[in-house]
Amino acid sequence: MLNITDLRGRPFAPDRDLPRAEVDVTAAVEKITPILADVRQRGVAAVLAAGERFDGVRPDQLRVPASVLAQALIDLDPSVRVALEESIRRARMVHQSQRVEDTVVQLADGARVENHWVPIQRVGLYVPGGRAVYPSSVVMNVVPAQAAGVESLAVATPPQREFNGQPHPVTLAACALLGVDEVYAAGGAQAIAMFAYGVREAERAEDNTAETGPAESGWVCPPVDLITGPGNVYVAATKRAVMGTVGIDAEAGPSEIAVIADETANPAWVAADLISQSEHDPMAASVLITHAESLAQEVNDQINQQVPGLPLEDQIREALTGPQSGILVVEDLPAAITVANAYATEHLEIHTADPEAVAEQITSAGAVFIGGYSPVPLGDYSAGSNHVLPTSGTARHSSGLNTLSFMRLQQRIRYSASGLSAVTPGIVALAESEGLRAHAEAVLARQLTPGAHHN
């Protein structure tokens, strides 16, 4: 089922030879621009109207009532609750370990710089809900934010027709388990716009937005400082459009899995893992990189055996036969590692005789799953790692969502009169070399007329 591309014996060109999903975020920006303007102008009414248009339902109110959250947790299947609680427990352990201690650097007498890690004050966490239910994405967004010490958390997730305009109850139950009580029945571009600009019930003029803050009465959803969470191309486009007004984690593309495998790999396991990621989206990418030509055919045979009868069979077939998926046959294991690093996949599995040695050579991947018993679905749910990861090759320079994603490094500079005096000649020389005489004068003024307070 997967197309096989033979890269042996010819130059390797990443832009030509690597399978990629064809996602046009720029074109999507044009479509979401009117939604942004409408939400900014009409607030809650615009968000609800967009939900009715795109999700086919209009909830009675934008914010999910506390009683609905509580009931969702009461009604949650006990086995699902146990699984979610274990996922939360493991994720908390991992994300708490990512906290960084503040440091103080004493450069000289009276010369000190402090590095302080400060939590972002308010964040908006987006949880998709179109093709599937993602309570696991609630865990992956909320847990690192809580580990960072974020005080104000809001979740947005699409309303569902089958639940009278409320989000899916399992998603709501996950919010309740985590203690998140600010949840909005909003999805897509309108949810991102709501977080970026904030929304009120009443219509408001744009020229009033700069004069008011989140604490002012009238906000149904106050604006946030950072938006995180995956979504479709319209969510990605909206995040791009509001970046600068707020911070964003990334523009998430379709899900990706790449597998490095040799002749020791179990073809049934490799096939199952490639299939599993294709359940996410018709544009999801499943890529096998191997120097074992026989394995390539065995994996394809296994895919043909395993796919028929699956609930999302049509979508899986579309994803596996798309241009973003395929099998890459390479010269040897070092070549497979080179190709994997160039691809910089969201998820990378290693099925080789010595997976640890291969993992040490991986420089670009969102998360690395080492050995046959560490499949990507483990990371999707219960590994303790985060499944909100860089896609579309951005793992070359970006990390997955983590505790530090919700923190800022704030430096505090403490110099005394003597500490400043020691570096004044150098500051003056550098300032004058740059033609910035006033910079030099600002420092020299403190040497000529010391102030009363210069600790």
Side-chain angles (χ1 to χ4, degrees), residues 166-179:
Q166 297 297 343
H168 197 285
V170 179
T171 300
L172 296 181
C175 292
L177 271 178
L178 287 157

Side-chain angles (χ1 to χ4, degrees), residues 92-383:
R92 286 203 195 283
M93 292 174 65
V94 172
H95 289 89
Q96 286 287 355
S97 74
Q98 295 170 354
R99 287 188 62 94
V100 178
E101 295 296 325
D102 293 349
T103 58
V104 176
V105 182
Q106 195 71 40
L107 298 160
D109 184 38
R112 187 169 77 188
V113 173
E114 303 168 4
N115 295 308
H116 292 268
W117 289 92
V118 181
I120 291 170
Q121 294 303 294
R122 177 166 167 78
V123 300
L125 311 174
Y126 184 74
V127 177
R131 295 180 180 275
V133 183
Y134 291 109
S136 57
S137 287
V138 178
V139 177
M140 300 301 171
N141 277 272
V142 171
V143 168
Q146 291 178 333
V150 175
E151 293 185 359
S152 180
L153 296 172
V155 169
T157 188
Q160 306 287 324
R161 278 180 293 183
E162 57 267 47
F163 301 108
N164 299 316
Q166 297 297 343
H168 197 285
V170 179
T171 300
L172 296 181
C175 292
L177 271 178
L178 287 157
V180 177
D181 60 5
E182 187 181 349
V183 183
Y184 297 94
Q190 59 272 23
I192 304 303
M194 174 188 72
F195 279 152
Y197 305 130
V199 293
R200 296 189 178 98
E201 288 285 6
E203 187 173 314
R204 59 188 171 90
E206 284 194 30
D207 59 1
N208 290 331
T209 60
E211 301 171 5
T212 59
E216 180 183 330
S217 62
W219 290 112
V220 172
C221 176
V224 304
D225 303 308
L226 173 71
I227 300 172
T228 71
N232 62 21
V233 65
Y234 299 105
V235 169
T238 313
K239 288 168 79 173
R240 176 185 292 185
V242 301
M243 183 171 57
T245 300
V246 293
I248 66 169
D249 55 345
E251 293 180 19
S255 185
E256 302 165 343
I257 180 176
V259 179
I260 296 177
D262 63 14
E263 62 281 350
T264 68
N266 183 322
W269 293 3
V270 172
D273 295 350
L274 294 170
I275 293 168
S276 71
Q277 290 308 294
S278 66
E279 282 188 309
H280 282 294
D281 191 281
M283 298 183 71
S286 297
V287 177
L288 170 62
I289 308 167
T290 184
H291 60 281
E293 191 171 1
S294 60
L295 178 70
Q297 189 56 56
E298 290 172 343
V299 167
N300 250 345
D301 290 343
Q302 281 293 326
I303 288 174
N304 288 326
Q305 292 177 36
Q306 294 181 31
V307 168
L310 288 174
L312 296 177
E313 180 178 348
D314 290 343
Q315 177 181 300
I316 290 169
R317 289 184 181 278
E318 184 177 351
L320 293 178
T321 56
Q324 72 276 12
S325 298
I327 299 175
L328 305 177
V329 179
V330 297
E331 294 279 0
D332 49 27
L333 187 55
I337 294 168
T338 298
V339 170
N341 282 329
Y343 184 52
T345 186
E346 178 185 16
H347 310 94
L348 177 67
E349 288 188 2
I350 303 174
H351 295 246
T352 61
D354 189 353
E356 298 288 349
V358 174
E360 289 299 318
Q361 300 176 69
I362 298 301
T363 58
S364 301
V368 182
F369 297 78
I370 303 169
Y373 291 95
S374 302
V376 167
L378 173 67
D380 286 340
Y381 299 111
S382 300

